[in-house]
Amino acid sequence: MSLSRKRRKELTRLRKSADELWSHQQEVLDRANEIAREAGRQAGVLTREEVVPRVRQGYEHYLLPGVHATQDLAGGVRHQVVDKVLPGIGTALGTVMSVGDIAKEARAATLDRIRFQKPVVVQKQGPGAGTYIAIGVGIAAAAGVAYAIWQTFRADDELWVSEDESLLDSPIEKSTDV
């Protein structure tokens, strides 16, 4: 590319101006970095001297009483739960479990008694209706036997048949033979 002399001079001046501007910008940036470092240092000092004491004072004055109250409340709740609620729950659970164990043992004992015992036959306490009927039949039979014996041995002359032969040859008997 061929440039005219005038253009070359303009470009050279422009380049020098750009280099000069660049060096000024570098100086400005260096100065800005120094100022920023100093500002950070001052901010740290200010924080240590002003902000930290105020934050600490606000924390101790406003937040710390609430923290202590919350800790006291939590301690009271913990005390109530540990000393009163948990033993009550433990007692209730223990009672329920022992009732369950007692019922389980009673059920097992009952089943063992039922399994290993001979069947129980209930003894009758007194005479029943069958006993009275049998006694009545026995009395009637004894009465019948006694009556038969009485009839057999009574002294009735009419009942005795004589052994006369004359009676055996009676006409009634002969007529019956025909």
Side-chain angles (χ1 to χ4, degrees):
M1 273 201 289
S2 74
L3 294 173
S4 69
R5 196 173 194 191
K6 185 179 178 181
R7 291 275 176 208
R8 268 191 235 157
K9 283 184 183 182
E10 287 177 3
L11 282 174
T12 307
R13 266 186 265 141
L14 184 62
R15 186 173 292 153
K16 283 182 185 179
S17 294
D19 287 340
E20 205 175 302
L21 177 64
W22 179 253
S23 69
H24 288 303
Q25 285 179 347
Q26 291 298 324
E27 289 173 11
V28 168
L29 286 175
D30 287 340
R31 181 73 180 139
N33 283 334
E34 287 177 21
I35 292 172
R37 277 192 293 270
E38 183 63 25
R41 190 180 69 76
Q42 291 298 327
V45 169
L46 182 65
T47 301
R48 281 190 301 273
E49 291 176 358
E50 295 292 325
V51 176
V52 169
R54 286 187 183 181
V55 168
R56 186 172 290 138
Q57 182 184 7
Y59 171 76
E60 290 172 355
H61 183 35
Y62 295 109
L63 193 59
L64 194 59
V67 169
H68 287 305
T70 304
Q71 287 174 343
D72 291 343
L73 179 66
V77 168
R78 182 188 58 80
H79 173 70
Q80 292 294 324
V81 168
V82 169
D83 293 345
K84 294 183 180 176
V85 174
L86 289 180
I89 290 173
T91 302
L93 287 175
T95 303
V96 168
M97 291 176 74
S98 36
V99 166
D101 289 344
I102 290 169
K104 187 177 180 181
E105 289 172 5
R107 185 172 46 243
T110 302
L111 289 176
D112 287 344
R113 276 189 275 140
I114 290 172
R115 284 187 207 143
F116 299 117
Q117 284 183 351
K118 293 180 182 177
V120 177
V121 178
V122 178
Q123 299 283 335
K124 291 187 178 181
Q125 296 297 326
T131 304
Y132 291 117
I133 291 172
I135 290 172
V137 169
I139 290 174
V145 169
Y147 180 72
I149 291 174
W150 180 71
Q151 285 294 330
T152 304
F153 292 117
R154 78 178 178 171
D156 229 358
D157 292 336
E158 299 172 5
L159 292 176
W160 292 98
V161 178
S162 66
E163 294 187 14
D164 291 332
E165 289 183 19
S166 63
L167 288 175
L168 289 176
D169 291 333
S170 69
I172 298 175
E173 287 182 8
K174 287 184 183 178
S175 65
T176 53
D177 285 339
V178 177

